[in-house]
Amino acid sequence: MSRFFSNKYSTLVPYTPGEQPKDLKYIKLNTNESPFPPSKKVLDAVKCEAGSLQLYSDPECSALHEKIAELCGVAKGEVLSTNGSDEILNFAFMAFCDKERPIVFPDITYGFYPVFAEINGIPYEKIPLKDDFSIDANDYIGINKNIVIANPNAPTGMYMGLDDIERIVKSNPNNVVIIDEAYIDFGGESAIPLTKKYDNLIVTRTFSKSYSMAGARLGFGVANESLIRDMNTIKYSTNPYNVNRMSQGAGIGAIIDNVYYMNNCATIIKNRQYTVDALTSLGFEVLPSKANFVFARCHKIGGEELYLELKSRGILVRHFTQERIKNFNRITIGTMEQMEALIKEIENILEGR
Ligand code: PMP
């Protein structure tokens, strides 16, 4: 830390992104990216927009918001796109939380939530998952604090039904509920239609996973117009051109090619089932997942040891050191070839144990 670093950040522990190693060509199953390339319309749009990079991007993201609104069945004014969904999450924390309006989230969830809280000086509370690692909706009923829940949750992959989401939103009418749907396209049902009914609900989504665009940094939020206006106040006070020209074009291209991406999601769901079955038959406990990853542990080998063994064999998965989940690994679902290679290596590692 330099002697110039602001005191207000002196205890800040930043988010640690998954490894992006440059040394070897790994089978990368550690950051929940899609194994499939972007579609042709995305590539064409990026090429086309690259020719106009001397010009700022549209700060209103008008054409993109029209397409997102159409895709989600909402009005254009109910959409705000951002530089990855991380940015809309941060905007929501900045816009709606403060010392008087703290936020709660599960103890095991997306590691960025406490960081957004810390950097913005927002008090927060972690609510433990149940013993089976599911979220107990009852813990959030009438809690009278702002709430953020990833659905499906990460890194567990476990999904909460819309009935429970609605109960939570309805019972906290004076607080904002953020439902982070980064992984919703892999088998869950979106809460976006509920934004019509509840003025305290924000649903966030991303193009990083199901739309094969993690490198483009494009996410968005859907909520009623007044919440969107508040988040726009934050956006125009920090970075009005937050979504670059190429990513705006890419997002439009991706939505036009929606069928391609939804077919890819169906393939991931199929490959996930293969992976769950194969891991289970090797003695793993695999949490029920509706995401493009599974969270699994095996009594024959520790979580960190398996992670290191796989890494030394050219396969990257994600290991977390938090006590309660240290024996698990989060494994992104890739192509069938990648999953077969993973299972083969795990068989080799477990041989004789
Ligand atoms: N929410 C969850 C639960 C995530 O796992 C991620 C990915 N790290 C994000 C949000 C943010 O993704 P992005 O900024 O790429 O949209």
Side-chain angles (χ1 to χ4, degrees):
M1 193 191 308
S2 81
R3 64 200 161 91
F4 304 106
F5 197 48
S6 170
N7 261 340
K8 67 177 184 272
Y9 299 129
S10 61
T11 57
L12 185 65
V13 181
Y15 175 72
T16 314
E19 297 167 88
Q20 304 286 1
K22 315 276 180 299
D23 57 332
L24 268 177
K25 199 113 197 70
Y26 286 97
I27 295 181
K28 247 187 117 279
L29 306 176
N30 68 327
T31 46
N32 300 339
E33 291 144 326
S34 172
F36 305 111
S39 65
K40 178 151 185 324
K41 286 222 162 46
V42 168
L43 300 180
D44 290 347
V46 168
K47 215 184 270 171
C48 173
E49 292 299 332
S52 303
L53 278 180
Q54 75 277 21
L55 302 174
Y56 280 111
S57 58
D58 172 13
E60 291 176 10
C61 302
S62 199
L64 173 62
H65 287 181
E66 222 155 82
K67 273 282 165 219
I68 293 174
E70 202 180 292
L71 177 75
C72 296
V74 298
K76 199 173 155 188
E78 295 168 337
V79 174
L80 174 59
S81 57
T82 50
N83 193 309
S85 59
D86 281 337
E87 192 179 47
I88 189 110
L89 289 164
N90 190 35
F91 284 177
F93 274 65
M94 288 175 78
F96 307 114
C97 305
D98 53 36
K99 290 222 159 37
E100 285 75 46
R101 280 174 284 204
I103 190 156
V104 299
F105 43 83
D107 63 339
I108 292 163
T109 190
Y110 184 33
F112 226 136
Y113 302 152
V115 182
F116 290 136
E118 294 280 353
I119 197 165
N120 294 304
I122 299 160
Y124 61 95
E125 187 189 322
K126 294 179 177 182
I127 299 183
L129 296 180
K130 290 203 277 191
D131 287 346
D132 66 358
F133 296 95
S134 65
I135 295 171
D136 189 343
N138 293 324
D139 289 340
Y140 298 83
I141 300 300
I143 195 165
N144 203 24
K145 289 180 181 143
N146 290 337
I147 296 168
V148 58
I149 288 176
N151 195 38
N153 196 13
T156 63
M158 290 174 76
Y159 172 74
M160 178 189 273
L162 278 192
D163 287 356
D164 279 338
I165 298 279
E166 183 163 7
R167 278 201 306 131
I168 293 170
V169 175
K170 196 175 176 178
S171 69
N172 292 287
N174 298 320
N175 293 95
V176 163
V177 179
I178 305 162
I179 302 297
D180 174 352
E181 292 190 348
Y183 301 102
I184 199 68
D185 286 328
F186 302 100
E189 193 184 346
S190 175
I192 285 179
L194 293 176
T195 59
K196 301 247 171 250
K197 212 165 148 188
Y198 298 100
D199 68 356
N200 60 328
L201 172 63
I202 302 170
V203 178
T204 64
R205 299 279 282 269
T206 182
F207 283 81
S208 295
K209 320 291 178 183
S210 47
Y211 287 91
S212 301
M213 272 170 47
R217 311 307 303 126
L218 184 62
F220 64 94
V222 177
N224 83 74
E225 294 200 10
S226 60
L227 292 183
I228 294 292
R229 267 197 299 274
D230 291 340
M231 290 191 284
N232 261 314
T233 301
I234 304 294
K235 160 181 154 147
Y236 283 97
S237 306
T238 50
N239 188 7
Y241 305 104
N242 58 338
V243 181
N244 74 69
R245 191 167 263 288
M246 293 183 292
S247 296
Q248 289 190 32
I252 295 167
I255 294 172
I256 293 171
D257 277 338
N258 199 41
V259 173
Y260 165 75
Y261 293 101
M262 292 307 112
N263 283 337
N264 287 346
C265 289
T267 304
I268 294 293
I269 291 169
K270 211 170 70 209
N271 298 354
R272 182 177 70 203
Q273 191 57 52
Y274 161 81
T275 309
V276 171
D277 292 344
L279 288 173
T280 306
S281 67
L282 288 172
F284 278 77
E285 175 194 357
V286 188
L287 300 189
S289 170
K290 288 239 189 267
N292 67 339
F293 55 85
V294 292
F295 203 48
R297 67 179 162 191
C298 180
H299 65 275
K300 297 177 197 162
I301 186 166
E304 186 176 19
E305 193 183 354
L306 178 60
Y307 154 76
L308 289 171
E309 281 285 352
L310 284 169
K311 187 172 180 183
S312 73
R313 292 154 195 254
I315 299 179
L316 271 188
V317 298
R318 184 98 195 244
H319 178 254
F320 300 88
T321 52
Q322 232 174 310
E323 186 58 29
R324 203 172 160 196
I325 53 171
K326 68 176 200 271
N327 277 327
F328 282 86
N329 279 293
R330 192 193 68 191
I331 303 167
T332 302
I333 304 299
T335 61
M336 198 52 134
E337 294 70 40
Q338 290 177 318
M339 302 328 287
E340 283 169 353
L342 168 87
I343 296 298
K344 196 166 129 253
E345 283 308 336
I346 293 181
E347 275 169 356
N348 291 338
I349 293 165
L350 292 183
E351 216 171 49
R353 287 191 192 233

